[in-house]
Amino acid sequence: MRGSLAKLYQAMGFQRAVANVEDIESISKARHDRDGAASLTNDHPSALICFKGMLSSAKEKRIVVFLDYDGTLSPIVNDPACAFMSDPMRSAVREVAKRFPTAIISGRSRDKVHEFVKLDEVYYAGSHGMDIRGPPQQVKTYDSKYQTKALDKKGNEFIIFQPALEFLPAIKEMLKELEKKARGIQGAVIEDNRFCVSVHYRHVQESDYGLLHEKVQSVLGKYPHFHLTRGKKVMEIRPSIKWNKGHALEYLLDTLGFTGTDNVLPVYIGDDRTDEDAFKTYKAYAVI
């Protein structure tokens, strides 16, 4: 286990020239203290700070790995369409997936993340967990109308789970309105992430941000069943349902057969505020 996860950490740039576990822990602790993440990791320990403890906790347990995409598997870039994954990172994720069930949970659309990652060995949850391609196991505790059986190109069966399915027509209308409203604001990028709409403002002049925010709010006001969240230089409009990355993590654990068992150790690697929903849902080791 140590080799697979260490290779993943190295590909993510956490180790740099780090030679051993003690160095991983000291560098990571310094970074968390600097970034003010101590309060979160008191309750949800960092897999980097507590690497040796994680190895000890993993004995006789099944490890399940969950990964964010942007800023975790790929760098944060100026153009969201160019957030490409490096070959060493892809190789590292492939190695991890050979040993442990592995899922990527992203705010991007599921199809878009699959295009970037190009791996069939992992499970995918797009739109902050509202569009999941998971194991071929239907779970009775989840509404069957949101679960659809499908086949990949190799004939392997999987389940598509989409708890916000009825919101799609409204999202398509909202997308058109936002694209029209933002057309006059230089640098604004509207991204269709299927079950949510992202408004990127990384290249918007500071003097224009207030106008962009006002236009986004004017569109959102017409759709009472949606709400606004924020990420790194992005506003996101999402359906107001009780579902986030934490619920997606629980759903995937259920479909993998880990319902009601202590014989599982989830490791969640993510750098965004939305990943905290997953940290809080399950007592997982977190990397932030």
Side-chain angles (χ1 to χ4, degrees):
M1 183 196 80
R2 182 188 294 239
S4 299
L5 291 179
K7 183 176 180 181
L8 180 61
Y9 294 161
Q10 188 171 25
M12 293 168 66
F14 287 136
Q15 288 196 45
R16 294 187 290 274
V18 178
N20 57 54
V21 169
E22 285 75 15
D23 289 341
I24 293 174
E25 293 180 351
S26 62
I27 286 176
S28 301
K29 185 177 187 303
R31 190 185 76 172
H32 279 72
D33 290 345
R34 180 197 70 204
D35 294 343
S39 60
L40 176 67
T41 53
N42 283 341
D43 296 324
H44 308 280
S46 168
L48 293 177
I49 293 175
C50 306
F51 194 71
K52 287 188 291 186
M54 186 184 75
L55 291 178
S56 177
S57 300
K59 290 179 180 177
E60 299 181 3
K61 289 192 175 185
R62 290 290 306 277
I63 292 174
V64 183
V65 178
F66 298 92
L67 306 166
D68 179 34
Y69 185 75
D70 289 278
T72 301
L73 299 182
S74 75
I76 297 294
V77 295
N78 289 331
D79 183 353
C82 296
F84 300 117
M85 188 181 189
S86 70
D87 289 336
M89 179 65 78
R90 185 173 292 104
S91 174
V93 174
R94 184 185 289 112
E95 285 297 314
V96 169
K98 285 179 182 177
R99 291 162 174 79
F100 319 112
T102 301
I104 297 172
I105 305 180
S106 172
R108 301 270 197 150
S109 73
R110 175 171 53 83
D111 289 342
K112 200 171 295 180
V113 175
H114 187 269
E115 275 181 34
F116 280 135
V117 177
K118 295 180 171 60
L119 292 176
D120 293 327
E121 299 94 328
V122 303
Y123 303 114
Y124 293 90
S127 305
H128 297 288
M130 289 181 283
D131 188 6
I132 300 175
R133 172 177 162 166
Q137 171 77 30
Q138 281 192 313
V139 183
K140 292 182 180 178
T141 51
Y142 296 91
D143 198 325
S144 60
K145 72 179 180 180
Y146 300 131
Q147 300 182 76
T148 306
K149 289 184 179 181
L151 297 174
D152 64 17
K153 294 178 181 179
K154 298 177 182 177
N156 299 314
E157 187 177 281
F158 57 89
I159 294 289
I160 298 295
F161 181 66
Q162 298 172 325
L165 200 57
E166 61 263 39
F167 292 92
L168 274 181
I171 291 171
K172 289 178 181 178
E173 289 299 316
M174 192 185 306
L175 186 66
K176 292 177 185 176
E177 290 186 49
L178 284 168
E179 287 173 340
K180 186 177 180 180
K181 290 271 189 181
R183 202 167 289 157
I185 301 178
Q186 187 174 359
V189 177
I190 310 299
E191 184 180 13
D192 178 5
N193 281 316
R194 189 155 171 77
F195 289 98
C196 59
V197 180
S198 300
V199 182
H200 299 273
Y201 56 89
R202 186 172 299 275
H203 296 293
V204 172
Q205 294 291 327
E206 190 174 340
S207 57
D208 290 334
Y209 171 76
L211 177 61
L212 177 62
H213 182 263
E214 183 181 307
K215 287 178 178 291
V216 170
Q217 289 286 8
S218 71
V219 173
L220 181 62
K222 302 176 185 178
Y223 298 88
H225 300 298
F226 290 81
H227 67 282
L228 188 70
T229 62
R230 297 176 185 277
K232 294 177 180 177
K233 298 291 184 180
V234 63
M235 292 179 276
E236 293 185 309
I237 297 177
R238 298 197 235 169
S240 297
I241 63 172
K242 192 178 180 182
W243 196 267
N244 55 39
K245 289 185 176 182
H247 296 102
L249 183 151
E250 285 186 322
Y251 172 83
L252 285 163
L253 287 176
D254 287 348
T255 58
L256 287 165
F258 293 117
T259 307
T261 178
D262 294 327
N263 192 36
V264 60
L265 180 69
V267 176
Y268 192 106
I269 303 178
D271 73 321
D272 196 79
R273 187 178 300 171
T274 59
D275 296 312
E276 293 180 17
D277 293 324
F279 301 157
K280 294 170 184 174
T281 297
Y282 203 96
K283 187 170 172 46
Y285 278 91
V287 179
I288 59 176

